RNA sequence: GCGCCCUUAGCUCAGUUGGAUAGAGCAGCCGCCUUCUAAGCGGCAGGUCGGUGGUUCGAAUCCACCAGGGCGCGCCA
C-alpha cells in the first residue's frame, strides 16, 4: 500500500464529488495532481497541488477551489487537519495512528514491502554490459553492469516483467583478431616459441584456449591457411570468452536471461529482413554522406552507400546500414537486434551504454521509432566513467605494463557488496570516483558501511532483547501485534513517515530509470535510525530495550525491525546483502 | 564546425519530474561515551543553483542565447 497514492485517490474523489454536485466542471484533467510529502515537515504530513493545477481549467482561484475541497478532505477518517497555504497548497495532517499502523504493515509485508503494481506486468527489456567477447571484463564495464542489474531489479519491484539481456558482438573484425590471437597461442601450446605481433591480443587469458585447441586438433591447423581454421577458432574463442565473462558477472551476482548473438542475426537472415522492412517503408536509399566536420580523415573520399533516413526521426544526419563494399555495418545489425526485441514483444526497451557511445543514441532511437511505427520506446542510459583511485591517487592503468585492472581484481579486493553499492551512489550521467581506500573504510564517509551499520545495529538489538527481556517473542509477526500507539516520540514518527515513503520512492525511481535514488534513500533511513539510537543515550527513556516497559519495548522493536526490513528491501534492489553484524 | 552530457556550499554530490524558507556528507568550529557497537549523534557556520532573457500563480528544474568542462563526430565496434 502506498500512502501517497491512497490519498491521491481521496483527492480525486473529492474533485469528482464537487463535479457531480455541479460545483466544478466535469472531466477535469487529473494527470498533474500530485500528493507528496511536503518539503518542510511543519507543513503537515501530505501536501497536494490539486487546487493550483485545476484552478485554471475550473476557472477558479486556487485558494477558492481549495476551500471547496477542504471539508471533503477533512471527512477522511485519518485526516485531522486540512490547511490551505501559500498560493493554494492543501496540507493534510494525519492521525498519528495512521503512521503508527504502518509499522505493522511493513512487518507483515517483509522484504516485499514497496512492491508496486505500477508496471502492470508489462514487459521491459534491459540490455546491459554487452562487452565485446575478446577478453575478461575490465573495471570500466563494472558500473554499467551494476547499474543495469539494479535498474532491472527496480523495475521488477515496480511491477514490470523484466528481461535481462546481453548482446554479443561476435561478428565484427575484432573477433577475427581474437581468432588469430588464439591461433598464436595454439601454436605456442604445440611447442613453438611465439611473439604476439602488434595488433593482436597479447593477454595470457588466451593461453588455455589455445591449449584446448591444441589438445583437440593436434597440429592439423598449425601451418594451414587462415581460411581453414578461422571460423573454428573464432567460435571456440568467443565461446571461451563468453564463459569467462559470465563467470566475471557471476562474481557480481549478475546473470542475464537472454544472450543474443550478432553473428546469429546475420546467419539467420534477420539483418536482411529488418533491412527489407525498412526499405518497404521507403526509409532506405543509396547516397553519399557529407565528410565529417572538424577533423577530416586523410583518406576520405565520397562513396555511395545504403543509408537509413534516421534524420526523419530526429537524428542529425542519415546513417549507413551497409559499407561501400556492400557488407553490413554495426548499425545495420543493431537495427535488426532491436527489431528482434520488438518482435519478441518488448515495446519498452532500455539500453545501458558507456558514455563514449553517446553519439549513437539518436540513430538507435530513430531506428526503433521507425521500425515499430512509433509503438516501441527505447531509453538509452549512458553510464559515465569511473575514476579508480587509491587513497586519493589515480590508479594508472596500462595493458602493456600489466597494471590493467579487471572487474575481478576489484571484486576480489573490496567485495561484491561494496562494488555494487558504490557504483550506485552517483547518478548514471555523473562521473564517479572509486577509491579503494575509502570504500572499505569503516566510517560514515563510506555510505556502504553507514547503511550496513544501521542494519547490523538493529540485528544486535534484537539479539540483546533475549537477555534484556527474557521470553519476549521477537519474530516480525509477533512484533506486528504490539501497541504501535506507544511510538509517540517525534523522532519515531518522523522515521515512520520516512519508511512509509519507500513504496513511493520505488515508483518514482522506476519511472525515472534511476536506481541511484535507492542508495540515497537508504542513507536517509540509516541516518534516521542512527539518530534515534543516539537519542537513547541522552534520554534513557528512548532506548529500544526497556526491561521495565515490555509493551513499549515491543513497539520499538517493531519499529526498528521495520527499519531493517526497508533497508533490506532497498539493498535487495541494489543487489547487496544486508549484514547482521560488522565483522 | 556540429551533436550529446555536465555546471548547485571551500570539496564530493542529492534535489521526490514545475511547488512553499534549495539539502546531505566531507573539510572548519562547539558539544555528547560507567548505559542496546562513539565504527555513532547533536549544534554552529557556509549559496547570486555558471550567466542573461523568456514561459506562469510559482523555475535549480521547462525554452532560447551565451560562457566553462567532458564525450563523440564517413564504412571501427
Amino acid at each position: 500500500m502506498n500512502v501517497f497514492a491512497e490519498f491521491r485517490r481521496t483527492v480525486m474523489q473529492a474533485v469528482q464529488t464537487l463535479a457531480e454536485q455541479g460545483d466544478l466542471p466535469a472531466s477535469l484533467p487529473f494527470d498533474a495532481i500530485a500528493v507528496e510529502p511536503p518539503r518542510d515537515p511543519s507543513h503537515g504530513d501530505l501536501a497536494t497541488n490539486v487546487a493550483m493545477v485545476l484552478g485554471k481549467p475550473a476557472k477558479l482561484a486556487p485558494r477558492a477551489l481549495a476551500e471547496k475541497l477542504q471539508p471533503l478532505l477533512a471527512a477522511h477518517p485519518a485526516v485531522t487537519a486540512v490547511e490551505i497555504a501559500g498560493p493554494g497548497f492543501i496540507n493534510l495532517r494525519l492521525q498519528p495512528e495512521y503512521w503508527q499502523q504502518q509499522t505493522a504493515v511493513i512487518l507483515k509485508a517483509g522484504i516485499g514491502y514497496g512492491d508496486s503494481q505500477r508496471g502492470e506486468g508489462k514487459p521491459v527489456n534491459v540490455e546491459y554490459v554487452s562487452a565485446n567477447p575478446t577478453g575478461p571484463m575490465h573495471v570500466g564495464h563494472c558500473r554499467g553492469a551494476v547499474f543495469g542489474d539494479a535498474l532491472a531489479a527496480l523495475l521488477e519491484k515496480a511491477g514490470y516483467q523484466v528481461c535481462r539481456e546481453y548482446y554479443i558482438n561476435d561478428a565484427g573484425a575484432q573477433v577475427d583478431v581474437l581468432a588469430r590471437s588464439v591461433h598464436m597461442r595454439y601454436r605456442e601450446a604445440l611447442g613453438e616459441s611465439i611473439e604476439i605481433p602488434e595488433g593482436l591480443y597479447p593477454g595470457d587469458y588466451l593461453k588455455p584456449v589455445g591449449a584446448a585447441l591444441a589438445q583437440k586438433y593436434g597440429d592439423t591447423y598449425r601451418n594451414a591457411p587462415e581460411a581453414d581454421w578461422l571460423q573454428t577458432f573464432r567460435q571456440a574463442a568467443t565461446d571461451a570468452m563468453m564463459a569467462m565473462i559470465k563467470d566475471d558477472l557471476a562474481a557480481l551476482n549478475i546473470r542475464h536471461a537472454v544472450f543474443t548473438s550478432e553473428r546469429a542475426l546475420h546467419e539467420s537472415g534477420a539483418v536482411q529482413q529488418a533491412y527489407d522492412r525498412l526499405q518497404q517503408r521507403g526509409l532506405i536509399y543509396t547516397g553519399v554522406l557529407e565528410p565529417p566536420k572538424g577533423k577530416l580523415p586523410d583518406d576520405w573520399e565520397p562513396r555511395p552507400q545504403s543509408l537509413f533516413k534516421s534524420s526523419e526521426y530526429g537524428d542529425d544526419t542519415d546513417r549507413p546500414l551497409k559499407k561501400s563494399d556492400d557488407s553490413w555495418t554495426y548499425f545495420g545489425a543493431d537495427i535488426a537486434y532491436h527489431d528482434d526485441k520488438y518482435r519478441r514483444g518488448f515495446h519498452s526497451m532500455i539500453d545501458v551504454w558507456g558514455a563514449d557511445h553517446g553519439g549513437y543514441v539518436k540513430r538507435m532511437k530513430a531506428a526503433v521509432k521507425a521500425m515499430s511505427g512509433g509503438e516501441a520506446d527505447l531509453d538509452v542510459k549512458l553510464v559515465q566513467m569511473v575514476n579508480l583511485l587509491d587513497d586519493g591517487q589515480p590508479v594508472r592503468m596500462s595493458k602493456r605494463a600489466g597494471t590493467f585492472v579487471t572487474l575481478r581484481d576489484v571484486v576480489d579486493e573490496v567485495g561484491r557488496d561494496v562494488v555494487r553499492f558504490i557504483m550506485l551512489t552517483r547518478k548514471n550521467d555523473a562521473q564517479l570516483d572509486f577509491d579503494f581506500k575509502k570504500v572499505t573504510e569503516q566510517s560514515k564517509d563510506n555510505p556502504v558501511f553507514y547503511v550496513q551499520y544501521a542494519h547490523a545495529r538493529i540485528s544486535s538489538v534484537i539479539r540483546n532483547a533475549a537477555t534484556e527481556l527474557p521470553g519476549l517473542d521477537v519474530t516480525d509477526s509477533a512484533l506486528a501485534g504490539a501497541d504501535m500507539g506507544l511510538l509517540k516520540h517525534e523522532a519515531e514518527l518522523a522515521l515512520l513517515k520516512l519508511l512509509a515513503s519507500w513504496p513511493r520512492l520505488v515508483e518514482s525511481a522506476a519511472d525515472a530509470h534511476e536506481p541511484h535514488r535507492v542508495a540515497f534513500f537508504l542513507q536517509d533511513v540509516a541516518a534516521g535510525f542512527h539518530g534515534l539510537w543516539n537519542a537513547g543515550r541522552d534520554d534513557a527513556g528512548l532506548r529500544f530495550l526497556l526491561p521495565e516497559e515490555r509493551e513499549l519495548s515491543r513497539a520499538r522493536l517493531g519499529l526498528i525491525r521495520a527499519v531493517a526490513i526497508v533497508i533490506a528491501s532497498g539493498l535487495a534492489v541494489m543487489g547487496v546483502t544486508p549484514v547482521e553484524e560488522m565483522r
Side-chain angles (χ1 to χ4, degrees), chain A residues 24 68 78 136 207 257 282 298 346 351 376:
Chain A
L24 285 179
K68 283 178 184 288
K207 282 183 181 173
D298 301 336
F346 295 107
D351 289 359

Side-chain angles (χ1 to χ4, degrees), chain A residues 1 21 35 132 186 199 308 335 339 362 420 461 476 485 491 562-563 569 576:
Chain A
M1 181 174 51
Q21 291 171 0
V35 174
N132 286 346
Y186 160 77
F308 163 57
I335 286 185
D339 190 33
K362 279 187 178 180
R420 292 194 62 129
V461 174
D476 289 345
V563 172
S569 176
V576 175

